[in-house]
Amino acid sequence: NQHGFLHLQAVMIFDVIVVGAGIEGSATGYYLTSRGTKNVLMLEQFDALHTRGSSHGGSRITRRAYYAAIFVHMMKEAYPLWEEIEQRSGKQLYWKSGLLAIGRKGQPGLDMYIESLNENGVPYDLLTGEEANRRYPQQLKLPSDCWCIYEADGGVLKASLALKTLQELFVHNGGQLLDCHKVTGLVPGPVVTVETDKGSFKAKKVIVTAGAWANDVLKTTGLTLPMKVYRAEVFYFKVEDPDAYSVSNFPVFVTIHPPVTKVASIYGTPILEYPGLLKVCQFFGEDLEIHPESRDSIPHGLTLPRVSDFIVKNFKRVSTIPSIFELCLYAATPDNNPYLDKHPYYPNIVIGAGFSHGFKMSPVFGKILSELALGHSPSYDLTLFKIDRFETPKAAL
């Protein structure tokens, strides 16, 4: 009886309510329930497997290589956690292909990647452009002034399947997932009231992982985070030799851009989602800052020329006319590092937001948010992820 079910939830007090069932929220719900917290509710404003936010689609890149040592360190734990999820679900979520990070010698970003990998003891190959071309002779024609990092554990995560799997494990572990419940406000207190368009729910702790809508939820508590929402345009291009660009024969790739900037970076994945189609996209650059409700406005036409130019200059036998065009959103903080912190005014509200590049680390972020909510010591130094690293003005309530 749905009415009785909702009435029971309205009068009971949950241990934790997770607001937002995207990849970060679902990873958080999974971690909570897999480690013994049973009285957990997860609320999602859309259908549980919707395509309106940041967690849908056939692929996301995973890699150990990063400009910041803390992320390389987190990825040491992320890989075993993804393996745990695969083992518990019986589903393959990760396809190993290797990663090729493409930069220029002397570039600050390249040097930071190398330093972070060395600091964490992660093996890698440093290749000239010509050496990378010889390693992938059927696919690459990189300029001679390129320098590349090859990291063997890079690969592809099946995004929508990973999200579905985490949600299924969450429910299997005893969690309750309610989709099509839009959170309209939080009423702070020793017990937090979570108001939705279909009724109110109460919890001792609330974790907000609402993605592009995080500030819409948090503004009812007097907090607006420094964070912007961007629309990414995702392209898939036909290749002449699908086997050459398959996940077995070609790595995921990223261009290294200066850290803590919004300079455009190109990235992509080998053929895995759509037969014969290579995914090539841009991150930042001309990505359109947007309100999440305006996601489907007309493309501005600036991203595709940059992506097509990259293909012409670096790849062999790949079309520059996309066969498939898709959209997604991502939220980014001023320094591109997410927020992993307690609410500055209400410590029983925990915030995870601004995960512009966080899909691969979601099991670790879910663990950290769970630790914060349950009062456990965080597994990592969270200095880089504190809300108060920026000015956080309190809105009038």
Side-chain angles (χ1 to χ4, degrees):
N1 183 298
Q2 182 73 0
H3 176 74
F5 178 65
L6 294 177
H7 174 72
L8 174 63
Q9 290 181 316
V11 298
M12 73 183 295
I13 297 176
F14 289 91
D15 291 327
V16 183
I17 292 178
V18 179
V19 177
I23 194 64
E24 309 299 343
S26 294
T28 302
Y30 163 74
Y31 191 87
L32 285 166
T33 56
S34 68
R35 269 61 177 179
T37 307
K38 297 297 183 184
N39 192 18
V40 182
L41 173 65
M42 188 152 53
L43 296 170
E44 169 55 51
Q45 64 174 324
F46 302 118
D47 178 83
L49 297 175
H50 69 90
T51 61
R52 306 299 302 169
S54 308
S55 302
H56 64 282
S59 67
R60 294 294 186 279
I61 289 176
T62 188
R63 55 187 166 115
R64 297 183 188 273
Y66 256 100
Y67 63 86
I70 182 65
F71 294 131
V72 182
H73 183 46
M74 286 179 171
M75 287 306 301
K76 285 185 178 180
E77 185 175 21
Y79 276 94
L81 286 174
W82 280 116
E83 184 177 0
E84 171 193 297
I85 294 163
E86 288 183 316
Q87 290 175 346
R88 293 189 178 189
S89 66
K91 298 176 182 177
Q92 182 180 359
L93 306 176
Y94 160 61
W95 272 256
K96 185 176 179 177
S97 66
L99 162 81
L100 194 69
I102 305 168
R104 296 288 189 277
K105 188 175 183 179
Q107 180 184 12
L110 178 68
D111 293 341
M112 293 177 74
Y113 268 60
I114 292 171
E115 182 179 346
S116 296
L117 290 167
N118 288 338
E119 182 177 328
N120 284 275
V122 177
Y124 63 92
D125 296 332
L126 184 61
L127 307 173
T128 66
E130 293 174 349
E131 289 170 334
N133 292 342
R134 287 196 293 269
R135 184 171 291 197
Y136 298 102
Q138 296 177 284
Q139 304 96 337
L140 294 182
K141 53 177 182 179
L142 300 180
S144 59
D145 63 341
C146 282
W147 281 78
C148 305
I149 293 171
Y150 176 81
E151 183 252 300
D153 287 333
V156 181
L157 290 167
K158 296 285 281 186
S160 291
L161 180 60
L163 178 65
K164 182 174 184 287
T165 299
L166 286 168
Q167 292 175 355
E168 290 173 346
L169 289 173
F170 168 73
V171 173
H172 176 77
N173 293 338
Q176 298 183 55
L177 171 60
L178 280 183
D179 60 1
C180 300
H181 278 65
K182 182 175 182 177
V183 172
T184 56
L186 303 178
V187 182
V191 173
V192 182
T193 300
V194 181
E195 298 175 332
T196 80
D197 56 356
K198 294 182 174 66
S200 298
F201 306 90
K202 298 181 183 295
K204 300 172 186 176
K205 304 289 178 67
V206 169
I207 302 174
V208 177
T209 53
W213 291 267
N215 273 330
D216 289 349
V217 173
L218 291 170
K219 67 183 180 183
T220 63
T221 69
L223 180 67
T224 299
L225 296 173
M227 186 172 68
K228 294 181 178 180
V229 177
Y230 297 89
R231 185 184 71 183
E233 298 179 356
V234 182
F235 304 105
Y236 297 84
F237 299 89
K238 187 175 181 180
V239 304
E240 292 183 19
D241 184 354
D243 184 64
Y245 285 96
S246 70
V247 73
S248 301
N249 295 317
F250 193 63
V252 298
F253 56 91
V254 298
T255 61
I256 299 173
H257 60 88
V260 198
T261 69
K262 300 299 187 282
V263 175
S265 174
I266 304 296
Y267 70 96
T269 62
I271 295 171
L272 186 62
E273 303 169 60
Y274 300 111
L277 298 183
L278 181 72
K279 178 179 178 179
V280 190
C281 315
Q282 177 179 284
F283 185 61
F284 286 130
E286 290 87 7
D287 283 353
L288 188 66
E289 183 184 345
I290 202 167
H291 188 277
E293 301 302 334
S294 301
R295 192 200 75 154
D296 295 316
S297 57
I298 297 173
H300 54 58
L302 298 177
T303 304
L304 180 58
R306 185 187 291 270
V307 172
S308 296
D309 182 64
F310 175 83
I311 291 172
V312 168
K313 291 178 178 178
N314 296 281
F315 290 163
K316 297 178 179 179
R317 298 176 298 169
V318 179
S319 173
T320 58
I321 301 173
S323 297
I324 295 178
F325 166 72
E326 297 176 348
L327 293 171
C328 73
L329 299 176
Y330 63 90
T333 67
D335 62 6
N336 299 343
N337 297 328
Y339 298 111
L340 302 167
D341 201 359
K342 294 181 179 180
H343 194 295
Y345 320 124
Y346 308 108
N348 59 345
I349 299 175
V350 173
I351 298 167
F355 298 103
S356 55
H357 53 87
F359 196 105
K360 65 187 77 65
M361 287 175 276
S362 56
V364 176
F365 291 153
K367 175 184 178 180
I368 292 169
L369 294 171
S370 299
E371 291 170 338
L372 290 172
L374 297 176
H376 301 162
S377 297
S379 299
Y380 297 85
D381 180 357
L382 300 181
T383 302
L384 287 176
F385 312 110
K386 292 289 187 182
I387 291 172
D388 64 8
R389 70 188 191 271
F390 307 117
E391 183 180 0
T392 52
K394 187 169 184 177
L397 289 175

